[in-house]
């Protein structure tokens, strides 16, 4: 199997490594770099648990090869909070609204929410809520029935009720 040298940043930290061509970005993040907050479950693009941001865009890290992230800037769930531990607004909203139970799906949910809120910065509450709700169709949560996640979305969107 051929190996390739890649360089990328993860949560602001620079990494260089030799990776096999077949290694997924998710596997590389978890097994080589230790970012185990990125969860791998279905590994065929359905569940959303493996979602990370690559250059600001939410991506399935099980469907993306590590070599495709060469030169990119990756954000995992470990990179969402501030260095002093202050939660990202998305994390705070999920916490405030019981938008998680076992937490397995949560890293992917939080990354997608962070990407979508950033993409919709400055938009009205209705548009943000709609965009976030649509984005959640790409995430499977076995625990919450999505109600807590929906409440978190409304909080993030600035909805009043
Ligand atoms: S593990 Fe990537 S979408 Fe399920
Ligand atoms: S909180 Fe358990 S799968 Fe979503």
């Amino acid at each position: 199997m051929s190996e390739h040298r890649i360089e990328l940043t993860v949560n602001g930290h620079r990494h260089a490594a030799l990776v096999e061509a077949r290694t997924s970005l998710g596997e590389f993040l978890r097994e080589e770099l230790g970012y185990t907050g990125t969860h791998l479950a279905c590994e065929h693009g359905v569940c959303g648990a493996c979602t990370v941001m690559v250059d600001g865009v939410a991506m399935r890290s099980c469907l993306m090869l590590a070599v495709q992230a060469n030169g990119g800037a990756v954000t995992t769930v470990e990179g969402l909070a501030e260095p002093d531990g202050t939660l990202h607004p998305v994390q705070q909203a999920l916490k405030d609204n019981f938008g998680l139970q076992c937490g397995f799906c949560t890293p992917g949910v939080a990354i997608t929410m962070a990407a979508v809120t950033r993409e919709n910065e400055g938009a009205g509450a209705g548009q943000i809520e709609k965009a976030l709700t649509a984005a959640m169709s790409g995430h499977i949560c076995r625990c919450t029935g999505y109600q807590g996640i929906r409440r978190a979305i409304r909080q993030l969107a600035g909805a009043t009720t």
Side-chain angles (χ1 to χ4, degrees):
M1 182 61 69
S2 62
E3 288 195 324
H4 302 267
R5 180 179 167 78
I6 62 169
E7 291 185 24
L8 72 172
T9 64
V10 182
N11 304 332
H13 301 288
R14 196 170 171 76
H15 297 276
L18 270 180
V19 294
E20 287 188 1
R22 66 176 181 180
T23 305
S24 73
L25 177 60
E27 186 184 348
F28 176 69
L29 290 169
R30 287 180 58 85
E31 304 300 329
E32 298 295 324
L33 302 184
Y35 291 103
T36 54
T38 300
H39 292 163
L40 289 170
C42 71
E43 296 196 60
H44 60 273
V46 174
C47 73
C50 66
T51 305
V52 299
M53 266 189 264
V54 181
D55 297 329
V57 178
M59 304 288 288
R60 305 290 209 226
S61 69
C62 69
L63 294 184
M64 186 171 180
L65 296 171
V67 291
Q68 292 176 294
N70 185 29
V74 175
T75 305
T76 70
V77 70
E78 291 94 338
L80 283 184
E82 298 293 333
D84 68 0
T86 303
L87 294 179
H88 187 284
V90 160
Q91 294 171 305
Q92 191 63 52
L94 287 166
K95 182 178 178 214
D96 291 347
N97 294 281
F98 303 101
L100 65 148
Q101 288 181 30
C102 80
F104 190 86
C105 70
T106 310
V109 167
I111 287 285
T112 293
M113 282 184 168
V116 171
T117 49
R118 197 164 76 173
E119 283 161 18
N120 287 274
E121 212 171 306
Q127 184 181 324
I128 296 172
E129 183 178 353
K130 198 170 160 186
L132 283 166
T133 302
M136 285 307 104
S137 67
H139 290 270
I140 293 173
C141 176
R142 294 162 185 80
C143 301
T144 65
Y146 300 93
Q147 295 312 306
I149 294 173
R150 291 288 309 250
R151 287 194 297 271
I153 285 172
R154 292 184 63 73
Q155 177 173 313
L156 276 172
T160 50
T161 55

